[in-house]
Amino acid sequence: MEFLRPRTWNEAVAVKAAHPEALALAGGTDVMVELNFDRTRPASLLDLTGVDDLAHWALDGDVLRLGAGVTYSRVVDELGFALPGLATASRTVGSPQIRNRGTIAGNLGSASPAGDAHPALLAAGAEVEVESVRGVRHVPVAEFFAGPKRHVLEPDELIKAILVRPASGPQEFAKIGTRNAMVIAVCSFGLALHPHARRVGTGIGSAAATPRRALDAERFVSEELDWQGRGPLPDGVARRFGELVAHAAEPIDDGRGTARYRVHALAVMARRTLGWAWAAYRKG
Amino acid sequence: MPAPSTSPAPPAAGTSTRVTGGVGESARRPDGALKVTGEFAYSSDLWADDMLWGATLRSPHPHARLTGLDIGPAVAMPGVYAVLTHDDVPGRTVYGLERADQPVLCDGIARYHGEPVAIVAADHPETARRAASRIVAEYDVLEPLTDPRRAIDPASAPRVHPTGNVVRHLAVRKGDFETGLDVAAEVTVTGEYEVGMQDQAFLGPESGLAVPAEDGGVDLFVATQWLHVDRDQVAACLGMPPERVRLTLGGVGGAFGAREDLSMQIHACMLALHTGRPVKMVYSREESFFGHVHRHPAVLRYEHGASRDGLLRYVKAEIVLDGGAYMSSTPAVVANAATLGVGPYDVPHVSVDCWGVYTNNPPCGAMRGFGAVQAAFGYESQMDRMAAELGLDPVEFRIRNAMSEGSTMPTGQAVDSPAPVAELLKRVSSVPLPPRERGDDGYDLRELPGGVSNTTHGEGVVRGVGYGVGIKNVCFSEGFDDYSTARVRLETVDGRPVASVHTAAAEVGQGLVTLLVQIARTELGIDEVTILPADTEVGSAGSTSASRQSYVTGGAVRAACEAIRERVPDPASLPDGEVVEETVEWRHRPTSPLNEHGQGNAHVQYAFAAHRAVVDVDTELGLVKVVELATAQDVGKAMNPDAVVGQINGGSAQGLGLALMEEVQVSGGRIGNPSFTDYLIPTILDMPPTRVDILELADPEAPYGLRGVGEPPAISSTPAIVAAVRAATGAALTRIPIRPEHILDLSGVSEGERT
């Protein structure tokens, strides 16, 4: 196995073009497990940890750029106000050691339906900046996933950054696990209020072949909410929202939970997170 | 955590106040700092410069005929030194704790998913693994027997072994049931319960290093629970006299019963003897799930009969324990489940039938509290239901029926030392309930069901309180010749008296090495005591299991010290250069086998613990947060109070795991979750604060009056937690571990399913 370790981003993009089969490696919290179990044996590994400008985030105009090397821990520690949904989701990833190494971009690269960052990124309306020697393009996270553990990147492309607007309203993330920490999601839900656009964003995790938005639920609740008057959230609206989120899921039965439970839990989480977010919005 | 309270105990014979760090003090562990700082050498750290690495090819099928085995492609790989199969086993081709029924390597029929088929030695672990995967094994796949309830039928098919599928059926009959009469009662409660397959989940995987010796024998360094029984099985399978096989204990990263059976021991020795090179084998976490026995899954049917005024009249029970493909310690597990099957209660009429069976599921054997754990979930669930039926408080109902010193067990055995069951229950039930703590925002996620996964801010959360009490036998039972050997050496070096203690007892993390030092200090009245490495150069210490080492090896060390004191009444005054050594083989009082009605003085000692669990349940999502566990346990004598509290907390955590999350998921004979990603054990956010109340009511038969500590807390915490979840939710919860789906009733149209 060839081990490629570029020192600059341009070099990384060139190396990826020359070695399209190379598997990108950042924190290694997914990739190294796969290698150790001999489930993957890529011809080469492209280690991005030597590219130092990747591990930074910065506000670029009105958009936050999260470099591909930004870890869960840094999101928890530094972006709790700007990206509260993603920070809450990051806090549920693995153990502190895993959060210190694992990256948001790596979560996207693995493209697991159970990836914890995905529902928060979907709800926030994030985009993935990908680059190859052919140029740069921006892929909305909602269009990023192609199937279980598959995404839409071309073989010569690398994730360079995640672009997301800082929260303009409350955000929530909730995840079901059968223990209280260090657990892979049985199912999860991300929610973001976008008051300027009078829109609610959603993201469902671990309840379909890919992470996905609940579009009907978003449309329904965005129209029902009293954005202007910040009036109370009618219980019926919250419940209907939960039902519509649940309907957007297509879960399966597996060792971590049943499809029926996942549907039920998504409805409850959607109803509750909407309640929390709306209560926060009403407080201003 | 509040400091454990202790009740006064009579002064133990031979105790001395001259030394520090003696019996009754919380002497510090010699291995504590090393383990906390990551410097402790575990058996997986063993190393020899010229060593090879072993790997194992295992059956992918739970039941199959091995029709072809081509080792050629593996042998052809550069770096491969040996590939061995069933035909290469030099001696006896089978091994086992109670009966040798398990092939060293697949003998033509694979009887479980993961059965070893061939072994490889290579100069690199990865090479060894790849070579193993290149062995071409061909199978004729057979129908597996996976339902233990079917296996209790002597005519059940397929037969996993030629002897039939029933490993042991034990009937215990007391009172009118013994004379064949039936018994009626004013109030009866019937229930069926199920216990899933728990894993010991030790953190140090199976590992060891076999080094060929000049005399043609082998030296094996290994993490195990009983060096001598390993040695005897290894020697038989190598076709060698036992003295040519020498074992030394490696650093043990937890055991909990999973190291009672052999794993890589014979394999590593075969490869070492074949290649003439040291061979190291270390299982990965995944392989470990296939490489050791698990806790027996159980199906339990109980019928309890009581009078209106709340006195138990009879208990009828049928317990089926799934032993999987090989016998391991199934007969002993059956004995415990049957003889302890009604719990720590006075029951005039008892009828218990317990079966241990062969199936093509993963082999099951020893795990902390075996037999007693499964039964306790059944009988404690029944006690709660009966209390509800009678309109009695569950604690009050238990106290009315609690056994005590002088009670008669279902086996007819009289309980001849303290059995403070009622007192334990009173103590845990009188601990003030924990307050409902709230952070600045009104909640703290870490205190709520779901934890930082942020599933509730208090919505749907209901608190519940539940109780459990359990009973466990301590030491080996049913007439087993259970003894330990201790060699103690006293000498004076540079004017200072020093003692060394040599036993073969396995320190598996419980702190026995600390305890043996404390005993020698106390008995000899000297401060400086060294524990020599455990090996087979000294006689057997018996197994580190059945909560027995403090009792038996502790007793042996005390006896050896007493023998020295007889020769040197004041050990501190031994002249420089003189050496006094004594080796003692020490036995507890004998036990006897059970007759055809399950009657007999089969057990040495009984131990008891009670738990109160306080839980918060998110009743809409089915998630549980255990808020607090209160435990009361009679330990006879707290030899090392810190270690006792550690055992109680650890056992409580393991019981919490069984109640709420720990299960090896087996479907069609296959393990579906062989990893710590999907086999979940409690984290710090799952394990609550504990309140530990220690009683010291001496057992006059036992050294220092002590009572085995390790297992009881792993028995009663499970039913207490389940009872608390039932109290919060009203759900029936007849199966453990509880899953969210069991708490919620999703049988109708649930939230999210409306259109």
Side-chain angles (χ1 to χ4, degrees):
Chain A
M1 190 182 300
E2 202 172 355
F3 191 74
L4 307 164
R5 195 160 197 274
R7 308 302 306 199
T8 66
W9 177 251
N10 286 342
E11 194 190 334
V13 170
V15 167
K16 186 64 170 154
H19 301 268
E21 77 295 342
L23 182 61
L25 174 70
T29 55
D30 281 331
V31 170
M32 293 311 296
V33 174
E34 296 287 304
L35 290 182
N36 285 335
F37 277 97
D38 211 7
R39 289 182 193 136
T40 316
R41 191 166 298 187
S44 46
L45 279 177
L46 176 52
D47 176 16
L48 294 170
T49 57
V51 181
D52 38 296
D53 44 343
L54 276 185
H56 296 296
W57 62 264
L59 199 58
D60 183 1
D62 56 358
V63 171
L64 263 171
R65 286 182 60 90
L66 267 62
V70 173
T71 62
Y72 299 109
S73 289
R74 292 195 54 201
V75 172
V76 172
D77 293 343
E78 300 165 22
L79 293 169
F81 285 104
L83 301 173
L86 187 63
T88 305
S90 297
R91 196 180 171 199
T92 74
V93 174
S95 61
Q97 297 91 328
I98 297 295
R99 296 196 287 274
N100 286 341
R101 286 205 60 89
T103 62
I104 308 292
N107 209 206
L108 287 166
S110 294
S112 162
D116 290 320
H118 309 331
L121 293 174
L122 284 167
E127 292 190 343
V128 189
E129 184 174 282
V130 300
E131 188 169 341
S132 70
V133 289
R134 296 175 291 113
V136 175
R137 64 180 179 126
H138 291 168
V139 183
V141 171
E143 294 164 23
F144 183 81
F145 304 103
K149 300 198 174 184
R150 286 187 291 118
H151 50 59
V152 299
L153 294 197
E154 298 296 334
D156 63 344
E157 286 180 321
L158 288 170
I159 299 174
K160 186 178 189 184
I162 294 148
L163 309 179
V164 56
R165 286 175 195 277
S168 60
Q171 299 183 346
E172 290 288 349
F173 173 84
K175 159 175 151 181
I176 300 284
T178 43
R179 71 179 168 193
N180 290 313
M182 285 182 69
V183 69
I184 292 187
V186 172
C187 56
S188 58
F189 183 69
L191 177 130
L193 301 189
H194 302 288
H196 299 311
R198 298 191 171 186
R199 197 176 70 74
V200 173
T202 62
I204 292 172
S206 213
T210 66
R212 58 167 64 166
R213 289 166 64 185
L215 292 170
D216 288 346
E218 290 185 10
R219 275 192 291 267
F220 163 77
V221 77
S222 298
E223 284 177 16
E224 291 288 331
L225 290 172
D226 176 13
W227 297 99
Q228 182 72 33
R230 301 188 189 227
L233 173 66
D235 188 51
V237 171
R239 288 192 175 272
R240 183 66 188 150
F241 176 66
E243 287 162 22
L244 289 170
V245 167
H247 285 167
E250 290 176 275
I252 56 168
D253 288 334
D254 64 18
R256 293 177 188 142
T258 62
R260 191 133 205 227
Y261 174 72
R262 288 181 159 109
V263 165
H264 168 83
L266 276 172
V268 174
M269 287 193 291
R271 167 166 60 77
R272 286 182 182 174
T273 53
L274 178 65
W276 303 332
W278 190 253
Y281 174 68
R282 293 185 71 204
K283 277 192 204 164
Chain B
M1 184 188 310
S5 65
T6 54
S7 312
T15 48
S16 163
T17 52
R18 285 180 299 166
V19 294
T20 54
V23 166
E25 294 179 46
S26 288
R28 291 184 63 172
R29 305 175 60 118
D31 53 348
L34 291 173
K35 284 178 172 172
V36 170
T37 56
E39 291 170 276
F40 184 81
Y42 289 97
S43 55
S44 50
D45 299 315
L46 288 161
W47 193 270
D49 281 341
D50 55 343
M51 72 185 184
L52 302 172
W53 295 78
T56 311
L57 174 72
R58 295 172 182 274
S59 167
H61 307 293
H63 196 198
R65 183 173 292 110
L66 183 64
T67 56
L69 196 57
D70 180 7
I71 64 170
V75 175
M77 280 179 65
V80 171
Y81 283 72
V83 181
L84 303 180
T85 69
H86 178 72
D87 295 334
D88 301 303
V89 180
R92 198 176 69 190
T93 59
V94 286
Y95 68 94
L97 282 174
E98 299 210 16
R99 184 200 296 161
D101 68 347
Q102 186 156 1
V104 174
L105 290 165
C106 179
D107 60 2
I109 302 281
R111 296 180 183 84
Y112 74 97
H113 175 207
E115 177 147 5
V117 172
I119 48 177
V120 177
D123 57 10
H124 189 278
E126 187 58 29
T127 306
R129 279 193 287 273
R130 288 187 195 184
S133 70
R134 290 207 189 165
I135 296 169
V136 182
E138 288 170 358
Y139 298 94
D140 210 352
V141 175
L142 305 171
E143 183 69 23
L145 175 65
T146 57
D147 183 353
R149 282 165 292 200
R150 267 184 56 207
I152 68 168
D153 178 354
S156 57
R159 287 194 162 207
V160 181
H161 292 272
T163 48
N165 294 327
V166 178
V167 175
R168 185 178 188 185
H169 167 227
L170 180 59
V172 175
R173 301 284 185 269
K174 179 190 179 190
D176 287 352
F177 289 118
E178 191 181 2
T179 47
L181 299 172
D182 208 3
V183 185
E186 290 170 330
V187 183
T188 62
V189 166
T190 305
E192 185 166 318
Y193 306 93
E194 200 177 330
V195 179
M197 185 185 289
Q198 190 180 20
D199 188 74
Q200 299 84 352
F202 51 47
L203 295 187
E206 295 82 351
S207 48
L209 177 70
V211 183
E214 286 184 1
D215 65 351
V218 62
D219 292 288
L220 177 63
F221 303 83
V222 68
T224 183
Q225 291 179 235
W226 188 355
L227 289 166
H228 284 78
V229 84
D230 278 18
R231 180 199 63 182
D232 292 348
Q233 293 178 87
V234 171
C237 295
L238 295 177
M240 281 186 189
E243 58 274 16
R244 299 251 299 272
V245 179
R246 291 161 294 262
L247 268 68
T248 303
L249 190 68
V252 183
F256 313 109
R259 297 188 208 274
E260 283 192 32
D261 290 84
L262 297 181
S263 56
M264 44 55 67
Q265 284 90 331
I266 303 169
H267 298 161
C269 291
M270 281 173 61
L271 292 168
L273 291 167
H274 189 87
T275 60
R277 299 264 295 263
V279 173
K280 174 172 174 167
M281 292 186 87
V282 182
Y283 289 177
S284 67
R285 178 59 54 197
E286 182 177 18
E287 186 171 20
S288 179
F289 275 95
F290 297 97
H292 63 250
V293 298
H294 313 283
R295 188 190 291 294
H296 288 68
V299 181
L300 311 102
R301 262 189 65 81
Y302 272 91
E303 181 181 321
H304 278 57
S307 60
R308 275 267 162 241
D309 56 354
L311 285 179
L312 283 173
R313 180 158 164 74
Y314 73 86
V315 174
K316 285 200 261 189
E318 292 180 350
I319 301 169
V320 179
L321 299 164
D322 184 354
Y326 296 103
M327 182 177 284
S328 180
S329 46
T330 292
V333 183
V334 167
N336 287 3
T339 60
L340 309 173
V342 306
Y345 302 109
D346 281 328
V347 187
H349 309 286
V350 174
S351 169
V352 178
D353 283 278
C354 183
W355 291 265
V357 295
Y358 285 129
T359 63
N360 293 112
N361 290 322
C364 289
M367 181 173 175
R368 198 176 198 171
F370 69 46
V373 164
Q374 293 92 333
F377 175 58
Y379 63 70
E380 286 298 83
S381 298
Q382 287 283 101
M383 291 300 281
D384 283 333
R385 289 188 51 205
M386 181 59 93
E389 194 70 28
L390 294 167
L392 287 173
D393 173 80
V395 174
E396 170 57 26
F397 176 57
R398 284 175 170 83
I399 287 174
R400 279 190 202 180
N401 292 283
M403 62 184 284
S404 53
E405 185 168 358
S407 290
T408 306
M409 293 293 293
T411 57
Q413 183 169 20
V415 177
D416 59 0
S417 72
V421 177
E423 175 67 17
L424 296 173
L425 285 161
K426 284 174 193 160
R427 286 190 177 219
V428 291
S429 60
S430 62
V431 176
L433 284 165
R436 288 163 194 263
E437 286 169 40
R438 290 285 181 262
D440 293 340
D441 303 330
Y443 64 90
D444 179 339
L445 286 178
R446 292 167 303 180
E447 303 290 336
L448 287 165
V452 297
S453 290
N454 191 39
T455 46
T456 181
H457 296 172
E459 300 93 331
V461 175
V462 178
R463 182 154 289 190
V465 179
Y467 295 87
V469 60
I471 177 171
K472 180 69 183 47
N473 57 317
V474 173
C475 300
F476 279 23
S477 301
E478 294 188 87
F480 189 86
D481 181 24
D482 194 16
Y483 68 94
S484 179
T485 315
R487 181 180 298 155
V488 177
R489 179 184 166 101
L490 175 72
E491 58 197 308
T492 299
V493 179
D494 294 336
R496 288 176 319 163
V498 297
S500 59
V501 176
H502 192 184
T503 78
E507 164 67 49
V508 299
Q510 81 279 41
L512 181 69
V513 289
T514 320
L515 198 70
L516 300 184
V517 169
Q518 292 178 255
I519 290 172
R521 280 180 184 147
T522 295
E523 296 301 330
L524 298 174
I526 64 175
D527 286 314
E528 220 166 307
V529 178
T530 304
I531 301 292
L532 300 180
D535 57 31
T536 50
E537 299 299 299
V538 64
S540 174
S543 182
T544 296
S545 54
S547 304
R548 66 177 283 288
Q549 282 297 20
S550 298
Y551 194 128
V552 190
T553 297
V557 170
R558 186 177 71 165
C561 291
E562 284 169 351
I564 285 184
R565 265 207 335 260
E566 277 181 26
R567 288 169 59 186
V568 187
D570 182 7
S573 66
L574 188 73
D576 229 33
E578 266 189 50
V579 177
V580 183
E581 186 178 286
E582 286 288 344
T583 304
V584 171
E585 214 171 73
W586 190 85
R587 286 170 168 74
H588 56 67
R589 61 175 170 175
T591 58
S592 51
L594 295 162
N595 70 13
E596 75 278 13
H597 287 139
Q599 299 294 299
N601 293 334
H603 296 314
V604 178
Q605 184 189 55
Y606 297 100
F608 308 88
H611 274 88
R612 182 189 70 192
V614 179
V615 306
D616 279 342
V617 183
D618 183 333
T619 54
E620 291 185 309
L621 288 173
L623 302 177
V624 178
K625 166 75 183 174
V626 182
V627 174
E628 185 198 84
L629 284 172
T631 316
Q633 183 168 339
D634 173 24
V635 302
K637 165 74 182 171
M639 301 289 285
N640 181 321
D642 278 0
V644 165
V645 173
Q647 283 292 311
I648 291 172
N649 284 331
S652 301
Q654 220 152 11
L656 183 155
L658 177 60
L660 296 177
M661 61 188 81
E662 293 192 39
E663 183 173 9
V664 178
Q665 295 172 356
V666 179
S667 173
R670 287 167 201 281
I671 296 180
N673 58 338
S675 72
F676 281 163
T677 304
D678 282 309
Y679 183 89
L680 301 181
I681 54 178
T683 70
I684 192 71
L685 279 187
D686 299 285
M687 184 61 193
T690 59
R691 288 161 170 268
V692 178
D693 190 358
I694 294 167
L695 274 72
E696 297 183 272
L697 306 180
D699 177 350
E701 287 283 335
Y704 306 101
L706 73 81
R707 211 173 276 287
V709 172
E711 293 172 287
I715 296 167
S716 44
S717 60
T718 306
I721 291 165
V722 177
V725 178
R726 287 190 191 115
T729 62
L733 304 178
T734 57
R735 188 184 194 282
I736 48 174
I738 300 170
R739 298 179 66 98
E741 299 92 310
H742 301 155
I743 293 174
L744 307 172
D745 181 7
L746 299 181
S747 56
V749 175
S750 73
E751 183 154 357
E753 293 187 309
R754 284 178 288 266
T755 51

